[in-house]
Structure formats: C-alpha cells, structure tokens
Amino acid sequence: RILDQEIADETKLLAEARQKLAAEEAVRSGNERNYSRYLERVQPYRDAVATHERNIEAIQREIANLK
C-alpha cells in the first residue's frame, strides 16, 4: 500500500517535471544564440525527468519482488 502511494506520487511528479521541461524547451531567450547555453538551461529539467523515471522503475521492481 505504501509503495502504491509512492508510485502515485512519483507519477504525479514525473508529469509535472515533463510539463516544465516542455515549457522550458519551447522558450529560447535572446542570449541563448549559442546552443550550449540553451542545453545548460534545459539540462536540470531533463535530469529531473530522468530521476523520476528511475524512481518509478525502482518502486515497480520493489513491488515485483514482493509478489
């Protein structure tokens, strides 16, 4: 039951992180003519999405191990 709640929370956080990433990728400010600056700004959002995806996978493995 606790793991089910954790997976629900992580799924919600993943959806929010993906939404923020999409919003940030859509915007390109004037000082980001250099693509590397754009990547530096967007990378934390990509990292957050990856972290939540890994957390969900880990919780799913835990649930599978219990069965």
Side-chain angles (χ1 to χ4, degrees):
R1 195 169 120 194
I2 294 171
L3 292 176
D4 289 335
Q5 182 61 41
E6 283 184 25
I7 205 164
D9 293 342
E10 279 298 325
T11 303
K12 180 182 170 190
L13 292 172
L14 174 61
E16 291 173 4
R18 283 184 176 159
Q19 191 175 34
K20 288 178 185 177
L21 174 61
E24 287 296 320
E25 285 179 335
V27 176
R28 190 121 180 222
S29 61
N31 67 348
E32 293 177 339
R33 292 181 185 172
N34 186 344
Y35 187 65
S36 64
R37 286 186 185 169
Y38 166 78
L39 290 178
E40 286 175 14
R41 181 177 58 84
V42 173
Q43 191 60 44
Y45 297 97
R46 290 182 178 169
D47 291 342
V49 168
T51 298
H52 292 302
E53 288 172 345
R54 283 192 305 270
N55 288 347
I56 289 172
E57 290 172 6
I59 294 168
Q60 288 173 338
R61 278 194 305 272
E62 268 189 68
I63 291 172
N65 288 339
L66 293 175
K67 292 183 180 181

